[in-house]
Amino acid sequence: MVVIDVSRVFPGNTPQIIATVTGTLTALSDGMQYGWSAPIIPVLQSPSSPVQITDSDIVWIENIYLLGGLVGIPLTMYILDKFGRKNTMLIASMEYLVAWLLVAFASSVEVIFVARFITGLASDTNFVATPVYIAEISQKKIRGRLGSLIYIMMLMGVVLIYAIGPFVSIAASSSVGAGIIVLQLLTFSFMPESPYYLLVKNRKEEARRALRILRSSKDVEDELNEIAEVVEQENEVRGRPLELFTVKSNRKAITIMTVLAFAQHYSGISVMLMNIHMILEDAATIIPASTAAIIFSVLMLLACTFSALLIDKVGRRLLLFVSSFLTAVSLLALATYFAVKDNDVDVKDYNWVPVVAVMAFAVTFKCGLGLIPIVMTAELFPTNIKALGCTVSDAMYVSAGASSIYLFHFLQRNYGMHVPFFLFGCSCLLVGIFAIVVIPETKGKTLDEIQRLLKGEPLSTSCANGIHTNIYEKVPLLSSCDDVVEKSYRATKIEEDRPVSPQLSN
C-alpha cells in the first residue's frame, strides 16, 4: 500500500497528529451510531417513516448494537495481529460504510437490525485497534492528548446526530455518516503502519521509514533500536493467552482495565445517553428533552476536549480521581432528588435539580472517568499480548454496558429511580479510591517503562538540577518532564526537541 511522506511538508509532531486525526474519523462515525437511536427512533415511529417499527423493535435496535460488539471480539483479536493496526482500522471503516448504506436504503426493520449488528462489529474492532495504533505511533509527551482524540471524535459524532437526526431524513443523516467514512478511507489509507507492529513482523526497513515519517526526522536509529529491543524481549516471552492472568504485570493490567471498563458504565453513562428523556421528565417545563440532549452532548465534548489538553500535564491518576469524586456527587444529588420524590414529597419547586445534576454529570464524567480508560487501554499491555489484552478489556466494556442498562431498568421498576443512581454514585467513589491506590501514573513514560512499573521495578531518573529519584508504581513523578532524563537498564535516551546537558547523578 502506498504511504505518503507527510513529514516533508509538515514538521515536528504534525505527522503524528495527522495520522491520529484521519484514523479517528471512524470514531466520529461511531459516535453518530452510538447516539443514533435517541433521535432516529421517533422518526421511525412517525407515520411518514419508510420503515414501520414496533415497541419490541426498539429494544432490539438498541441492544443488537451491543450484541454485534460481543460477537466481534474473537474476530478483532485475530485481525489485529494478523493484518496490523492500520489495516484493522480500515476494515472497521468498511464495516461502518456498509452499515450506513444499509440504513440509508433500508425498506424493512430487519435491514436496520443487520446494519446495527454490523455497526457493533465495527465499533468493537475500531475501539480496540485505534487506541493501540495511537499509542504505538506517538511520542510519550503527546501520547495522552492524541489518545484522547478518540473520545473527542466520538462525542462530536453524538452531537452531530443529535443536531441533524430529528430534522432530516434517515437517508440524509446516513449519507453524512457514510461521507465521513469515505473521507477517512481517502486519507488514512496513506498513513504509515505502527512501527511496533512492523518490527513484530520483522519488517525493520518499513518500520524505519514509518518512524522517519512520524518523527519528521531521519535520525531515528536510537528510537528504532530501542523499540526493536523491547519487541525482541517481549517476543522471547510470547506465550499462551493464559499468561494474561498468570503473569503478574499482565494480571495487574487486566485488573485495572476491567475495573475501569465497569467503572465507566456503572457511573451511568449508557443509562444517561439512552434514557435522558425519562430522567429529565420532571424538567420538561424548564427545557425540552431534545434540547437537553444536545446540551448534554455538547458539554461532554467540551469537557473531554479540555481534559485532553491537561492529560499529559497533570497526569491520568489525578484526573481520574477528581472526575470520579465529582461524578459521584452529581449522581448522589440526582438520586437524592428521586428518593425524596418517591416518598410523595412535592418537588415541583425543585425540578431544576435533575437538570443541574445531569449537566454536571456530563462535565465531570468526561473530565476523566469517560476519557482516561481509552487512553490507558493501549498503554498497559506489552506488545506480545496487547491484542489479547485490549480485546478482553473491550469485552469487559461491552459486558459492563449491557449489564448496567439491564440493572438500571430492573432496579428502577422494582425499587424506584433513586436506587440505581445511589448505586452508580457509590461505584464512582470506589473508583476514585482505586485510582489512587492501585493505578500507576503513566504520564511521561515510554511503553517499556510502563511495563516496568507494572512489574514493580524502580525507574531511575535524573533531573537537570542533579537530584536523583527512584520512582515506584504508586509514587507520582513531581519533576517537570522537560527537565527529566530517563535511564533504563538497557539504554539512556533523551527525548527532547532541543539539546540539553543534564547532569546525571548515580
Side-chain angles (χ1 to χ4, degrees), residues 42 61 78 101 128 132 147 181 274 281 288 293 315 321 351 421:
I61 288 173
Y78 173 75
L101 293 176
V128 171
V132 173
I181 294 300
M274 295 184 181
E281 184 179 356
F321 171 75
N351 59 358
F421 286 110

Side-chain angles (χ1 to χ4, degrees), residues 2-10 15 190-192 209 212-214 216 218:
V2 177
V3 175
I4 297 178
D5 187 355
V6 295
S7 64
R8 295 182 179 179
V9 181
F10 302 104
F190 300 102
M191 295 297 108
R209 186 186 177 208
R212 285 176 175 174
I213 294 173
L214 293 166
S216 296
K218 294 187 179 299

Side-chain angles (χ1 to χ4, degrees), residues 117-226:
F117 182 83
I118 295 174
T119 298
L121 290 174
S123 177
D124 179 83
T125 303
N126 185 54
F127 276 83
V128 171
T130 305
V132 173
Y133 177 80
I134 294 173
E136 292 181 349
I137 69 165
S138 55
Q139 291 172 296
K140 63 181 181 181
K141 60 184 177 181
I142 60 172
R143 188 176 63 236
R145 277 170 283 179
L146 293 184
S148 303
L149 278 175
I150 302 170
Y151 266 146
I152 292 175
M153 286 290 198
M154 181 180 177
L155 289 172
M156 289 175 64
V158 174
V159 173
L160 183 59
I161 194 64
Y162 279 2
I164 68 174
F167 310 110
V168 300
S169 67
I170 295 176
S173 61
S174 300
S175 298
V176 173
I180 292 170
I181 294 300
V182 170
L183 178 61
Q184 196 257 3
L185 290 170
L186 292 176
T187 54
F188 184 66
S189 297
F190 300 102
M191 295 297 108
E193 175 60 276
S194 157
Y196 274 84
Y197 174 77
L198 293 172
L199 287 172
V200 167
K201 297 300 181 181
N202 296 316
R203 293 153 62 181
K204 191 167 185 177
E205 284 304 315
E206 293 180 56
R208 179 181 288 108
R209 186 186 177 208
L211 204 56
R212 285 176 175 174
I213 294 173
L214 293 166
R215 301 294 182 261
S216 296
S217 172
K218 294 187 179 299
D219 184 18
V220 296
E221 291 305 312
D222 287 344
E223 183 176 3
L224 182 68
N225 292 334
E226 182 179 297

Side-chain angles (χ1 to χ4, degrees), residues 65 77 129 162 176 198 210 292 359 420 431 462 472:
Y65 174 85
M77 185 171 60
Y162 279 2
V176 173
L198 293 172
M359 298 308 167
V431 172
S462 301
Y472 294 86

Side-chain angles (χ1 to χ4, degrees), residues 40 84 114 116 145 149-150 169 319 321 330 334 343 369 391 395 424 429 455-456 464 481:
I40 299 300
V114 172
R116 294 289 287 170
R145 277 170 283 179
L149 278 175
I150 302 170
S169 67
L319 279 177
F321 171 75
S330 65
L334 186 62
N343 281 297
L369 194 54
T391 305
F424 294 154
L429 290 176
K455 293 173 182 177
C481 291

